[in-house]
Amino acid sequence: MRRVHIVGGGISGCLLSFFLKNHFQVTLYEKQSQLGGLCRTFYTIENLPYQKGLHAIKNPESWMIELLSQFVTMKQIDLKFGINPFVD
């Protein structure tokens, strides 16, 4: 069986590993202690949760949502954007 090395255990690296695992011997490299990249929840020193980036999926394909749901807890939200005049 041919070998594939994937660098980065974010959502792209994890999904690529998932799709290739039946056809290749996959090795996934991640420098952090947990997989997920920016999609996972981080915690401050006070143990308060926060996200490093906004992640939104706008894709009508239900298979993609079902696949991602196996790895990441997902919920539908209503996004509202505004401008902060003191920052933007």
Side-chain angles (χ1 to χ4, degrees), residues 22-37:
N22 294 329
H23 305 287
F24 298 92
Q25 180 182 349
V26 178
T27 303
L28 177 64
Y29 298 94
E30 172 56 48
K31 69 178 179 178
Q32 301 298 326
S33 61
Q34 294 179 336
L35 295 175

Side-chain angles (χ1 to χ4, degrees), residues 17-59:
S17 299
F18 178 80
F19 281 118
L20 296 178
K21 70 181 176 117
N22 294 329
H23 305 287
F24 298 92
Q25 180 182 349
V26 178
T27 303
L28 177 64
Y29 298 94
E30 172 56 48
K31 69 178 179 178
Q32 301 298 326
S33 61
Q34 294 179 336
L35 295 175
L38 295 177
C39 288
R40 66 185 179 88
T41 301
F42 295 84
Y43 293 89
T44 65
I45 196 167
E46 297 88 8
N47 204 32
L48 298 172
Y50 71 96
Q51 302 293 319
K52 283 196 172 184
L54 174 66
H55 300 282
I57 299 172
K58 292 189 176 186
N59 189 320

Side-chain angles (χ1 to χ4, degrees), residues 17 22 60 68 77 83 88:
S17 299
N22 294 329
L68 290 173
I77 60 170
I83 296 175
D88 296 334

Side-chain angles (χ1 to χ4, degrees), residues 55-59 65 69 72-79:
H55 300 282
I57 299 172
K58 292 189 176 186
N59 189 320
I65 302 299
S69 296
V72 182
T73 302
M74 299 177 63
K75 65 179 180 177
Q76 187 171 349
I77 60 170
D78 183 30
L79 294 176

